[in-house]
Each structure stands twice: as C-alpha cells, then as structure tokens.
Amino acid sequence: MRTVLLTLSALVAFAANSVLCRLALGGRAIDAASFATIRLASGALALLSLLALVSRGRGDRRDGRGPAPDDERTAGPARRVRPAGSWRSAAALFLYAVPFAFAYLSLSAGTGALILFGAVQATMIAVGLRGGERPHRLEWWGLIIAIAGLIVLVLPGLRAPAPAGSLLMAVAGMAWGVYSLRGRGAGRPLAITAGNFARAAPLALAVSLLCLRALHVSPRGALLAVLSGAVTSGLGYAIWYAALPGLTATRAATVQLAVPVLAALGGVAFLGEHVTLRLVVSATFILGGVAAALRGRLRPVPPGNDGAS
C-alpha cells in the first residue's frame, strides 16, 4: 500500500509538472534554457531547505525539546542530515531536464509525449531484462495495451517531427529512464534528490550562459518554473525515489504511461480543455493496461542468474 500511494503521488506530481511546462514554454513566457535552470535551482533550494528542517527537527528531539525516538535517546550528538546523491544521477537529471525543455520548442505535445515515453519504456525495460527480470505475460500485454492507449491519446497531435527536437526528446527519455533506474536501490530519497538537484543546477546554468542571446524571462514564466522545480519536480522526484524500491523496472516504466492521461485531465481542469471521446477511450486503455501490468507476477529468476553478462 505504501508503494501504491507513493507511486500515485509521484505520477500526479509528474502530470502537474507537464501542465506547468506547457503553460510556460507553450506560451513563450520564458526561454527553454532559463526554464530548465530555474526549475533545477529552485528544486535544489526547496529540497535543501526541507533537508535542513528535517535535520533541525532531529536535533530538537536530541536536545529534549520533543520526544526522541527510542534509537536516538541513547545516541550521541545529532548529526546533520546532509545531501547525498551522485554526479552520475545528477548528469542523468540534467540530460533529462535541459533537452526536454529545448525539444518542446520544435515538437508538438503529442509527438513529444510519444517520443519521450517510448524512450523511457525502451530504456527501463531493456535494463530490467538485462538485469534478470522476467515479466509475466500479463505485464507484457498490459504494456502493449497502455502504449496503444498512448498512441490513441496523442495521435491527432502527431506530425512529421523535427529531427533535432526528436533527438533531444529521445535523449531526455533515456536520461529519465536511467535516473529512475538509479533510484531503485537508493535509500534516503530526500537527501539523494536534494544532492542530485544541487549538482545538476550549475550544469543547467552553464547552458543558460551559452544561450544569453535567447534570454527571455517574464514574471509569469519565472513563477511557473519555480513551481515546477520546487514542488512538482523536487518533491515529486523525491517521492518517486521513495516509491521505486517497491517497483520492478518493467512496472516502473509501465505506470509512467498514466502520466499523459493525468496531464490531459489537468488540462481539462486548469487549461480549459475539453473532455473528448478520444480522451476517455485512451484513458481506459492506458489505465487498464497499467492495472494489468501491476497484477502480473514476475517469474522467478533461476538461482545464480543475476542477469550479468
């Protein structure tokens, strides 16, 4: 149940992030480089601030200002909760956030979603198979049904994609797949996500400095980028990292196909878009496929076969 609740919360955050990105970049309220930089920087500041509050709370319990947990009552001085993460995960986060922003300057929403999620699925499932996962037949059928629903959802917006935009979105999808996979065995999701955002933000700033000629930041665009970074990205990704240990790579890849449906519903609620028969049909396919995949059981991996090659 914990994994289910965390996963649902993360997917809602991802969908809200998509709506914020569409509002900012679609309305040209901010340039792509600035959006990515503010998004990562504000996410880092929010997560580091939250981490400091958590550390202070532990210190207060040790100082007798509040009830201390049993394992802390006999411990030494409270240690500060420090950011964790790694440069590899930060690089994957950077290679998702920046190409994603630039790709949507030349891709339609439907085409971009199809390329992004196709790359995410291919990356995570391929790595899962290589690592020894053996999805049940029901999981494969669920994935196929969900992908069919995604195609139905984005089909009216599909058009011959720009090569540069397609390549950027494929890189973003593969990078997000790698970032998700690196979180499956990670503990301390808040500390790890804070450290990854803090490392990725200067990399995005370097891109902004290279794109100074295209600089354009309106107050509305900056606000949307901050909300995207501090709330729907920073906190959403920390929740996602907390959920990932309870998901196989195949399931983690499949459940993310629900994000376009949730984003479409967000468009209905906040962007004045309309509920259509196509949305209802695609949502039924995608959510039904995700449910089928989650019900499928993994075949046990034979002893000694860890998928290494």
Side-chain angles (χ1 to χ4, degrees), residues 106-129:
S106 59
L107 295 179
S108 67
T111 303
L114 194 57
I115 295 172
L116 176 69
F117 284 97
V120 171
Q121 309 309 305
T123 301
M124 297 189 70
I125 292 174
V127 173
L129 291 173

Side-chain angles (χ1 to χ4, degrees), residues 16-102:
N17 191 52
S18 296
V19 174
L20 291 171
C21 289
R22 282 161 58 187
L23 285 170
L25 297 176
R28 296 295 193 267
I30 188 172
D31 66 280
S34 296
F35 180 86
T37 300
I38 295 174
R39 179 183 179 187
L40 292 174
S42 59
L45 288 174
L47 290 167
L48 291 172
S49 299
L50 185 56
L51 204 60
L53 289 175
V54 171
S55 180
R56 180 180 299 177
R58 291 185 179 182
D60 288 346
R61 291 196 297 271
R62 292 283 185 84
D63 293 339
R65 300 176 191 173
D70 292 339
D71 61 345
E72 291 185 353
R73 289 173 185 167
T74 57
R79 291 184 298 177
R80 181 184 176 188
V81 182
R82 298 183 179 276
S86 68
W87 280 106
R88 288 184 179 181
S89 293
L93 180 60
F94 164 78
L95 287 174
Y96 157 72
V98 174
F100 174 85
F102 277 92

Side-chain angles (χ1 to χ4, degrees), residues 124-223:
M124 297 189 70
I125 292 174
V127 173
L129 291 173
R130 187 177 182 277
E133 289 185 11
R134 296 296 179 265
H136 188 272
R137 243 182 342 186
L138 189 57
E139 286 190 281
W140 284 120
W141 276 112
L143 177 62
I144 291 170
I145 292 170
I147 290 176
L150 175 63
I151 293 174
V152 171
L153 179 65
V154 304
L155 189 59
L158 293 182
R159 62 187 182 194
S166 299
L167 178 60
L168 286 170
M169 192 60 83
V171 169
M174 289 186 288
W176 179 251
V178 170
Y179 186 76
S180 294
L181 288 166
R182 289 186 62 82
R184 290 183 60 223
R188 301 187 299 154
L190 181 61
I192 289 175
T193 309
N196 290 339
F197 268 74
R199 290 177 174 88
L203 301 178
L205 178 60
V207 175
S208 288
L209 294 176
L210 293 174
C211 301
L212 279 177
R213 289 187 177 181
L215 179 66
H216 168 64
V217 182
S218 69
R220 180 172 178 270
L223 176 61

